[in-house]
Amino acid sequence: MQHKNIIITGATDGIGLAAAKSIASKGYHVGLVGRNPNKGKKAIDEIIEHSGNKNLDFFEYDLSLVKNVKTLADQIKQKYNKIDVLLNNAGGANKNKNITSEGLEKTFATNQMNYFVLTTELLNIISESNDGRIVNVASNAHIGAEVDYANINCEKSFSAWTSYCVSKLMNIMFTYRLASMQDKVSVNVLHPGFVDTNIAGNEGNLIKYIVKFGAKMFARTVDDGADSSIYLSTSDEVKGVSGKYFFKCKEIRSSRASYDKEDWQKVWDLCENYKDEILSIK
Ligand SMILES: NC(=O)c1ccc[n+]([C@@H]2O[C@H](COP(=O)([O-])OP(=O)(O)OC[C@H]3O[C@@H](n4cnc5c(N)ncnc54)[C@H](OP(=O)(O)O)[C@@H]3O)[C@@H](O)[C@H]2O)c1
């Protein structure tokens, strides 16, 4: 295989770690991003044990802050001369309303702003690859969600589940919008299924129970849950495929709302404005 570099966010646990192990086994140089250095070290050890591949870097960043994501992108650009794949996977759900120091609701900041900022900052270097790919991990939890532009940071009300579902809808609309303006880099999005991970931490919240219940019902292991992430990041079968939503390595339809092109643009503008505004503050 020609030498390839991949960045995987949220690679210290769950679906991201399972994807990192498998992709390292295929010989990729893997840049893992996580916020916890102990989990980062453990992940590196596990990946080496699993794959024998030592071409690994760990980047310690809390991705709920736009400025951190920008600094991460700058560090990645200094370290690598090209990125072949960006797998935006880090995400979660917060039980309580939590506004970051930059003024954004934390689930929106981590799940959507982080994807937007890292992707737009790395797009040029991904374009250097002759098979550049961006893969966004979303969720079927987006079905039924609608973006309330007056409540992005929970100005009117807060629901942990709604914030999560809306952020995942935004992941899909962002993917479709980016794919529609790109022909050099392919951009796809996926649902991993219900997977028994640590997604809601130990907060004992509704999302945790929904995930646990769903995982029991549908019984996807973490390795199964990583299938589309690995497939879209590495398979020749999807070379050049772009702007599609996948589950179990097959293209599926996302919700009707997700195909609204006016909303794609609104979500794009919203994220771009927040990014510009936050990065302009010294
Ligand atoms: N599990 C499911 O059933 C399911 C279903 C649909 C979609 N998804 C999506 O799959 C993706 C992965 O979730 P998962 O289930 O694998 O959850 P997970 O086991 O909790 O893993 C999430 C990863 O993201 C990292 N992360 C979370 N917040 C971060 C932050 N602010 N800064 C840096 N890293 C952060 C976590 O780091 P720590 O280890 O430090 O927490 C961890 O490495 C998410 O996008 C999620 O929405 C999951």
Side-chain angles (χ1 to χ4, degrees):
M1 188 193 78
Q2 191 202 346
H3 176 81
K4 288 197 170 185
N5 299 324
I6 180 169
I7 300 294
I8 305 177
T9 69
T12 55
D13 214 333
I15 296 162
L17 176 56
K21 283 182 187 169
S22 167
I23 293 170
S25 299
K26 295 177 192 292
Y28 282 65
H29 186 129
V30 185
L32 300 91
V33 186
R35 60 186 162 182
N36 179 329
N38 294 329
K39 287 181 82 168
K41 189 180 173 318
K42 193 163 169 278
I44 296 265
D45 290 345
E46 276 184 40
I47 294 168
I48 293 172
E49 195 183 320
H50 176 87
S51 67
N53 183 348
K54 292 186 179 169
N55 286 322
L56 308 168
D57 300 303
F58 178 66
F59 300 93
E60 183 193 331
Y61 283 92
D62 178 344
L63 300 169
S64 67
L65 294 173
V66 169
K67 284 190 174 172
N68 285 356
V69 182
K70 169 77 168 75
T71 310
L72 165 66
D74 292 343
Q75 199 190 343
I76 289 170
K77 284 188 276 192
Q78 272 176 9
K79 195 161 179 85
Y80 306 97
N81 57 7
K82 68 160 181 150
I83 295 295
D84 299 283
V85 189
L86 169 62
L87 173 52
N88 283 310
N89 163 81
N94 297 281
K95 180 183 176 190
N96 297 310
K97 179 172 170 177
N98 191 334
I99 303 296
T100 69
S101 56
E102 295 174 336
L104 302 179
E105 190 277 320
K106 197 171 177 184
T107 302
F108 164 63
T110 308
N111 294 7
Q112 172 56 24
M113 281 305 293
N114 151 40
Y115 283 20
F116 180 87
V117 176
L118 193 57
T119 301
T120 50
E121 287 298 309
L122 294 183
L123 199 51
N124 280 346
I125 190 176
I126 301 170
S127 305
E128 298 293 316
S129 169
N130 60 14
D131 182 17
R133 301 179 186 204
I134 295 161
V135 180
N136 295 324
V137 180
S139 170
N140 266 359
H142 80 279
I143 295 169
E146 283 178 14
V147 183
D148 178 352
Y149 294 93
N151 200 38
I152 297 295
N153 297 302
C154 304
E155 292 85 349
K156 294 190 296 188
S157 60
F158 174 76
S159 147
W161 181 240
T162 302
S163 289
Y164 179 73
C165 298
V166 171
S167 72
K168 294 288 135 184
L169 174 62
M170 289 181 173
N171 291 165
I172 297 173
M173 295 199 282
F174 163 58
T175 303
Y176 292 160
R177 170 69 174 80
L178 182 60
S180 74
M181 55 197 259
Q182 272 297 317
D183 46 16
K184 183 89 178 63
V185 172
S186 69
V187 197
N188 291 295
V189 60
L190 66 97
H191 170 54
F194 275 114
V195 187
D196 194 1
T197 66
N198 196 34
I199 185 162
N202 298 313
E203 295 192 76
N205 67 14
L206 177 65
I207 295 171
K208 180 175 173 181
Y209 290 115
I210 290 172
V211 171
K212 293 277 172 210
F213 174 74
K216 258 200 177 70
M217 292 290 291
F218 301 102
R220 293 213 94 198
T221 64
V222 86
D223 290 331
D224 288 343
D227 57 0
S228 301
S229 298
I230 299 161
Y231 178 68
L232 291 171
S233 296
T234 64
S235 173
D236 283 342
E237 279 177 30
V238 279
K239 189 169 177 180
V241 173
S242 193
K244 305 294 183 199
Y245 185 51
F246 285 79
F247 175 48
K248 293 187 177 174
C249 307
K250 297 268 180 284
E251 189 189 327
I252 60 167
R253 297 278 298 169
S254 51
S255 71
R256 202 166 153 185
S258 70
Y259 292 104
D260 185 321
K261 290 187 178 171
E262 274 182 32
D263 266 319
W264 298 357
Q265 190 60 45
K266 278 191 193 168
V267 167
W268 185 279
D269 291 344
L270 177 90
C271 295
E272 193 163 56
N273 289 339
Y274 278 132
K275 178 185 168 190
D276 290 348
E277 193 183 308
I278 291 167
L279 293 181
S280 72
I281 300 168
K282 294 288 167 225

